Amino acid sequence: MHDGLPNEVSRWQHVEATAREMFRRYAFNEVRLPVLEPTALFVRSVGEATDIVSKEMYHFVDQGDEHVCLRPEGTAGAVRAYLQAGLTRSGGQRWFYIGPMFRRERPQKGRLRQFQQIGAECFGRADCQTDAEVLAMSWQLVQALGLQQLRLEINSLGCPACRPAYRQHLLNYLAQRRHTLCDTCITRIDSNPMRVLDCKEADCQQQLQDAPEMVNHLCQACDEHFNGVQQGLQTLDIPFVVNPRIVRGLDYYNRTAFEIITDQLGAQGTVLAGGRYDGLVESLGGPATPAIGFAAGLERLALLLPEMQAKSPDVCVIASGDAAVLQASMRHADALRQQGIATIHAGGGGMKRQFKIANREAVAYCLILGTDELTAEQVQLKDMNTGEQWALPLSEAIKRIHGN
Ligand code: ATP
Ligand code: MG
């Protein structure tokens, strides 16, 4: 598991602030949900045959013999909370969350065991305009971060009306090639055959070149919906490509599935992924409720941003003199903080040592207090960028630091 230290957290905060602003524009509201949930919730929603549930969950039995686990994703918990709060008649909910998720996978760049997701869930809307808007919001988020060389890939996974026939078609096709596929694919043929399509093995991809694709087997309603999503994206000038091989690892998706992908992170190139999950609320015990959402990996997004430094303090207070000077300087530091100025106190003593601290912390100003200044009810304010220095009352110094 990974420790977020100040410089890296600065990048995370930048991503979070950008996301919050985008969510505000689309009128999504923040929810903060538990990281510990009943294990059964994920088995029922994400699906037993998925990597997440079969291999990656941190689950345990607690002191009350309850089977619980650290949440591996956010959607299941959001649906649970939506149902538990009795919001199914609220006429729609637009939620977002930012928080840690846990998956016990092999750690590598862009793949951590505790990572953070920024996610959104929209309950109660089935129309293709909603899909287009959620996709637009995702795209505008990565654009607002200034990320380059990304592409939005979309697909339709059909619905319970058209998927079973396609699935059978695919199974027939796969049965003929079973002996040529990798071990993972062979297990997936039995558990989750659509996932065979996104096998990362080049040999398998070669074998599967002419595999039947869901987009060519959609029922009329799904086909119209998928066309509507594409038209919506065109209307909003959002560039996208249809990738019929996007299947998503989770069981609960239907119709629109999408990913935003970069080539800069190798195999860990999916920075954001999501889709429609119209059956999930019902399968967790609620009334039939259409829904669509996505989640972005915060660390992966941050990896694509330029280095950032944790913010430096504005001012270092330097004291040179007896105990009275030191005490007055502490009160000055306090006054600066009360005025909203980020301030450190260098601790008094030798001037050389104190200036060393100021330089190391890269402060914008030093506020220097000596015996003479104390008597004159003034301070010395030094601009550390220009080297300029002024003798002036504390209140004037504060105005100057504030830039007026
Ligand atoms: P992958 O194909 O990379 O395993 P996934 O299908 O498991 O992704 P999702 O469950 O869709 O991923 O999660 C959404 C996003 O969360 C991913 O696109 C990625 O950016 C991020 N993510 C998923 N797993 C991890 C992880 N272990 N470490 C860091 N980020 C992750
Ligand atoms: Mg994964």
Side-chain angles (χ1 to χ4, degrees), residues 2-309:
H2 177 75
D3 298 315
L5 301 180
N7 289 349
E8 190 179 9
V9 172
S10 299
R11 283 203 249 179
W12 294 352
Q13 288 171 334
H14 175 67
V15 178
E16 288 169 18
T18 310
R20 284 176 191 284
E21 170 56 16
M22 203 52 73
F23 289 131
R24 190 191 65 74
R25 293 183 190 178
Y26 281 84
F28 278 61
N29 297 307
E30 182 171 4
V31 290
R32 300 195 183 184
L33 304 175
V35 293
L36 203 67
E37 293 276 5
T39 306
L41 175 68
F42 300 104
V43 178
R44 285 168 65 199
S45 59
V46 177
E48 212 142 4
T50 59
D51 288 352
I52 291 182
V53 171
S54 64
K55 305 198 283 243
E56 298 172 356
M57 280 200 307
Y58 284 96
H59 55 87
F60 57 96
V61 182
D62 74 5
Q63 294 88 327
D65 283 337
E66 307 218 40
H67 291 255
V68 292
C69 78
L70 293 169
R71 63 180 184 191
E73 57 99 50
T75 302
V79 173
R80 182 202 48 69
Y82 171 80
L83 289 175
Q84 206 166 316
L87 292 168
T88 54
R89 289 159 180 273
S90 65
Q93 292 285 323
R94 292 174 304 277
W95 289 1
F96 79 87
Y97 56 81
I98 302 177
M101 305 293 161
F102 304 82
R103 296 185 194 175
R104 195 176 189 293
E105 37 192 352
R106 198 168 66 79
Q108 53 196 287
K109 191 176 179 190
R111 205 182 279 295
L112 305 162
R113 290 181 165 184
Q114 174 172 343
F115 61 103
Q116 300 164 89
Q117 281 187 340
I118 299 180
E121 316 291 349
C122 171
F123 297 108
R125 292 282 297 269
D127 53 289
C128 52
Q129 286 75 22
T130 296
D131 300 43
E133 284 196 353
V134 168
L135 270 65
M137 177 166 77
S138 316
W139 183 251
Q140 284 161 3
L141 167 60
V142 294
Q143 294 303 110
L145 288 169
L147 303 181
Q148 310 283 321
Q149 292 172 300
L150 291 172
R151 56 183 191 280
L152 170 62
E153 298 190 347
I154 67 170
N155 190 21
S156 175
L157 304 178
C159 70
C162 51
R163 198 156 41 192
Y166 163 73
R167 191 171 182 273
Q168 195 50 53
H169 200 61
L170 178 66
L171 280 172
N172 296 343
Y173 170 92
L174 293 173
Q176 288 161 19
R177 287 160 186 78
R178 194 182 179 102
H179 58 282
T180 64
L181 299 173
C182 73
D183 289 347
T184 321
C185 282
I186 292 172
T187 4
R188 282 180 178 161
I189 292 179
D190 303 317
S191 61
N192 194 348
M194 283 173 80
R195 283 226 61 195
V196 175
L197 295 180
D198 83 339
C199 180
K200 305 285 185 286
E201 296 281 331
D203 282 353
C204 293
Q205 282 305 324
Q206 183 69 25
Q207 286 300 319
L208 297 169
Q209 264 177 5
D210 59 348
E213 289 169 342
M214 187 71 233
V215 280
N216 299 318
H217 294 79
L218 296 174
C219 61
Q220 197 188 340
C222 283
D223 198 43
E224 280 169 13
H225 186 91
F226 194 40
N227 283 329
V229 176
Q230 295 180 59
Q231 270 169 28
L233 291 173
Q234 278 153 9
T235 303
L236 296 171
D237 286 326
I238 309 292
F240 66 92
V241 286
V242 174
N243 176 356
R245 297 300 171 99
I246 290 185
V247 295
R248 310 294 310 119
L250 286 53
D251 277 357
Y252 52 60
Y253 288 112
N254 69 305
R255 292 198 168 165
T256 312
F258 65 104
E259 296 190 354
I260 296 178
I261 302 163
T262 171
D263 290 327
Q264 293 172 51
L265 296 175
Q268 277 64 255
T270 304
V271 294
L272 184 151
R276 194 162 262 295
Y277 54 93
D278 293 336
L280 184 59
V281 175
E282 195 173 10
S283 81
L284 290 178
T289 307
I292 177 168
F294 68 81
L298 177 50
E299 288 84 356
R300 285 194 202 174
L301 286 171
L303 276 174
L304 300 172
L305 293 175
E307 294 270 331
M308 283 183 195
Q309 301 293 313

Side-chain angles (χ1 to χ4, degrees), residues 310-376:
K311 207 181 165 321
S312 299
D314 303 315
V315 176
C316 178
V317 173
I318 291 173
S320 164
D322 58 12
V325 172
L326 191 60
Q327 279 166 12
S329 72
M330 286 178 68
R331 282 195 296 272
H332 284 4
D334 184 53
L336 293 172
R337 291 174 182 136
Q338 303 257 8
Q339 294 301 314
I341 298 164
T343 305
I344 55 165
H345 191 292
M351 292 287 267
K352 205 168 152 201
R353 189 193 64 86
Q354 294 188 70
F355 270 109
K356 216 165 156 182
I357 292 174
N359 284 322
R360 194 176 59 217
E361 298 267 356
V363 295
Y365 294 96
C366 283
L367 191 122
I368 306 143
L369 191 69
T371 318
D372 294 349
E373 286 81 19
L374 188 60
T375 318

